[in-house]
Amino acid sequence: MTLDRRRFLQVAAAGMAMPVMAPAAGQHPVLKIRLADHPVLATERGALRLHPEGAKSPVDILVLPEGGYAAVWPICTHNGCPVRPEGWELFCPCHGSIFARDGRVLSGPAYKPLTRLPLVEAPGGELHITLIDPIDP
């Protein structure tokens, strides 16, 4: 069977669309961590930075002031600099943006929140974090 140019382009375009459609179908990887393995998350203002294999960015897992946890990509949405926990906030050392631990902007120049990752507190003391793509600054 030979392919004419039009049929070749149709087949090639369909093949290229597959990787784009897979994430939309909810097939994001899930990072599972045991709280017992990370005692810092049992402390007030606990913060843990992990580098999941294959991820575009590290993930910060943070204890929230009201209890519970949040997971964010720790990349400032202003200019792409890494943010760091300072007290109950996340601080960008490049231009001074400040974020709440849940990713909300508290002070600019950033105006978009950090990308917050879906997090589920699972039975048995585990956190399941869905690694969605970060928002580009």
Side-chain angles (χ1 to χ4, degrees), residues 7-28:
R7 181 68 183 138
F8 171 78
L9 291 174
Q10 289 171 337
V11 170
M16 290 186 324
M18 292 299 282
V20 174
M21 293 187 320
Q27 297 180 6
H28 297 289

Side-chain angles (χ1 to χ4, degrees), residues 41-89:
L41 294 176
T43 64
E44 182 180 64
R45 300 182 191 172
L48 175 67
R49 181 163 289 175
L50 298 175
H51 296 267
E53 187 175 327
K56 295 178 183 179
S57 167
V59 174
D60 275 3
I61 303 162
L62 306 156
V63 175
L64 295 173
E66 63 274 7
Y69 304 92
V72 298
W73 293 119
I75 304 300
C76 183
T77 55
H78 170 246
N79 206 24
C81 296
V83 300
R84 64 177 183 257
E86 288 191 4
W88 285 115
E89 299 166 339

Side-chain angles (χ1 to χ4, degrees), residues 63-125:
V63 175
L64 295 173
E66 63 274 7
Y69 304 92
V72 298
W73 293 119
I75 304 300
C76 183
T77 55
H78 170 246
N79 206 24
C81 296
V83 300
R84 64 177 183 257
E86 288 191 4
W88 285 115
E89 299 166 339
L90 299 165
F91 174 74
C92 179
C94 294
H95 299 105
S97 293
I98 300 173
F99 300 87
R101 283 184 167 233
D102 63 4
R104 290 176 293 119
V105 176
L106 298 177
S107 175
Y111 62 90
K112 291 191 283 186
L114 299 175
T115 301
R116 188 163 175 179
L117 305 172
L119 181 147
V120 174
E121 293 184 49

